[in-house]
Amino acid sequence: QVQLVESGGGLVQAGGSLRLSCAASGRTFSSYVIGWFRQAPGTEREFVSTIRWSDGNTKYADSAKGRFTISRDNAKNTVYLQMNSLKPEDTAVYYCAGRQGLSYYSSAFYPYWGQGTQVTVSS
């Protein structure tokens, strides 16, 4: 059973930084893609970034490019999302998600999800 556990959310001022962590367990993740999605109140869950565990290939939403960096630590089975230059519009619950195979931008393709971590950016 795949388990994904997020941590690292919190309250930060605009322009600040946070690092989210997603600890993965239950499988060997070499064939998996791990992604970050976010959902603000009243909106749909949206793609932020993904990383392919096998080779570290990454994808980013336009809103994340240049500000967010996704990475993985194989020894810890953990994926990170370093978020810099945060803006109030980044406020959302951030979810870690996983799937085998290809990376998709749609959350519908990911069967495994963490419980989410709240990120609040004040202006």
Side-chain angles (χ1 to χ4, degrees), residues 22-113:
C22 172
S25 62
R27 296 281 170 85
T28 300
F29 290 94
S30 56
S31 64
Y32 276 68
V33 167
I34 302 295
W36 288 97
F37 292 78
R38 67 186 184 185
Q39 188 168 21
T43 69
E44 293 187 354
R45 197 166 294 189
E46 67 173 3
F47 167 80
V48 177
S49 181
T50 58
I51 187 165
R52 189 161 60 198
W53 206 285
S54 59
D55 62 3
N57 180 269
T58 59
K59 297 185 185 297
Y60 294 94
D62 287 344
S63 60
K65 288 178 183 176
R67 299 189 300 128
F68 296 0
T69 302
I70 192 170
S71 62
R72 74 200 189 300
D73 184 327
N74 289 339
K76 296 182 178 179
N77 259 15
T78 299
V79 171
Y80 302 99
L81 185 69
Q82 177 68 43
M83 303 187 296
N84 299 328
S85 303
L86 283 162
K87 306 174 182 179
E89 51 263 44
D90 293 318
T91 295
V93 177
Y94 283 69
Y95 296 92
C96 176
R99 72 181 311 278
Q100 282 187 290
L102 300 177
S103 174
Y104 287 91
Y105 296 117
S106 170
S107 62
F109 289 95
Y110 292 78
Y112 306 110
W113 290 87

